[in-house]
Each structure stands twice: as structure tokens, then as C-alpha cells.
Amino acid sequence: MNINVTIGQFYPIDSKIHRLDPRVKLLALFSYVILLFLTKNALGYAVGAAGLAIIIMMSNVPPKYMFKGLRGIIGIIMFTVILNLFFVPGDNVLFSWGFIKITMEGVYTAGKMACRLIFLIIASSVLTLTTSPIELTDGIE
């Protein structure tokens, strides 16, 4: 059974991100997560995506390798999107069939949650791909 999981693996190459102190990387990740959950509009998500793209380019880790971490969580993302689509109440009903209603508010919430989860997984992958387990342990200590 071949499972390609990239979260938690270290990608040993030389880059500016690899050379950063692990405490700085951890602090940056926690700050990114907090800012991501404080974001209220599409502009904030666009800025978050642009920042993440810059960090990925600076890390010299192939983006394809970075996005492999999403494979394992795509089911959870889809489940979250479906729950938000069908169970978030709202006034602007887009689709209704029996007791099933999809509202504009549900679509907006589902999109926000999907973006947050995707950005969180990719940002976590950046941390683990650019920091060896020993450095990460020392940084947490």
C-alpha cells in the first residue's frame, strides 16, 4: 500500500525559509492561523493566499510536493463544505427542494471554511517540509 503523505516530512534543501530559526517559523504559523481566522472578506483571503505563495516560492520546495498534503484531507474539506451548504440558515435562498435549502450565506460560509482549511494544511506543510523534526522539537521546547 503506497500512501503519499507529505505532512510531517522534511524536504532537505537549502533556502531562506529552511535557514530560519524554528521558533520564528512556529510563531509565523501561529500568527498566520490567527489572522486567517480573523479574516472576514475575500481581500483578506487573497492577501493570505499571496503571502503563502511567496513563502512557498522562497522555500524552494516544489509546489506540487507542497499540495500533496491536501490529498489526505480532501474528504474532510468536502464534508465541511457540504455541511455548511445545507445547514447554514439565511434569507437568500438559492436552491430549495423539500427540507433541503442552499442559501447564499451557506455558500459564503462553505467557501470561507474551505479556504481556511486548505490554507491551514498548506501552511502546516510549509513548516514541516522546511524544518527537520529535531529543529521543530527544539523550537517547541
Side-chain angles (χ1 to χ4, degrees):
M1 185 159 126
N2 186 11
I3 299 174
N4 292 324
V5 178
T6 59
I7 296 175
Q9 292 183 357
F10 176 59
Y11 194 84
I13 57 173
D14 188 39
S15 74
K16 291 180 181 182
I17 304 298
H18 280 76
R19 289 189 297 263
L20 282 175
D21 188 87
R23 294 171 291 188
V24 171
K25 293 185 221 180
L26 284 166
L27 184 61
L29 177 64
F30 289 132
S31 301
Y32 183 75
V33 169
I34 290 168
L35 290 173
L36 197 58
F37 279 99
L38 293 175
T39 298
K40 302 276 185 216
N41 55 29
L43 178 63
Y45 290 109
V47 170
L52 195 54
I54 290 168
I55 296 298
I56 290 170
M57 287 189 303
M58 289 176 62
S59 72
N60 291 338
V61 176
K64 184 175 141 182
Y65 196 81
M66 195 79 61
F67 290 105
K68 278 185 182 180
L70 289 174
R71 275 194 221 162
I73 197 157
I74 198 74
I76 294 170
I77 293 170
M78 293 307 296
F79 180 70
T80 303
V81 166
I82 290 168
L83 283 179
N84 282 296
L85 279 176
F86 294 130
F87 294 111
V88 172
D91 296 327
N92 303 324
V93 177
L94 299 174
F95 175 79
S96 179
W97 184 55
F99 66 91
I100 297 173
K101 288 184 191 173
I102 297 177
T103 63
M104 190 63 182
E105 292 83 359
V107 171
Y108 182 71
T109 303
K112 281 190 340 184
M113 293 305 290
C115 284
R116 284 180 182 164
L117 288 171
I118 290 168
F119 291 169
L120 288 172
I121 295 301
I122 293 172
S124 299
S125 293
V126 170
L127 174 70
T128 58
L129 288 167
T130 62
T131 313
S132 71
I134 297 297
E135 289 176 334
L136 199 53
T137 304
D138 290 343
I140 292 171
E141 184 182 321

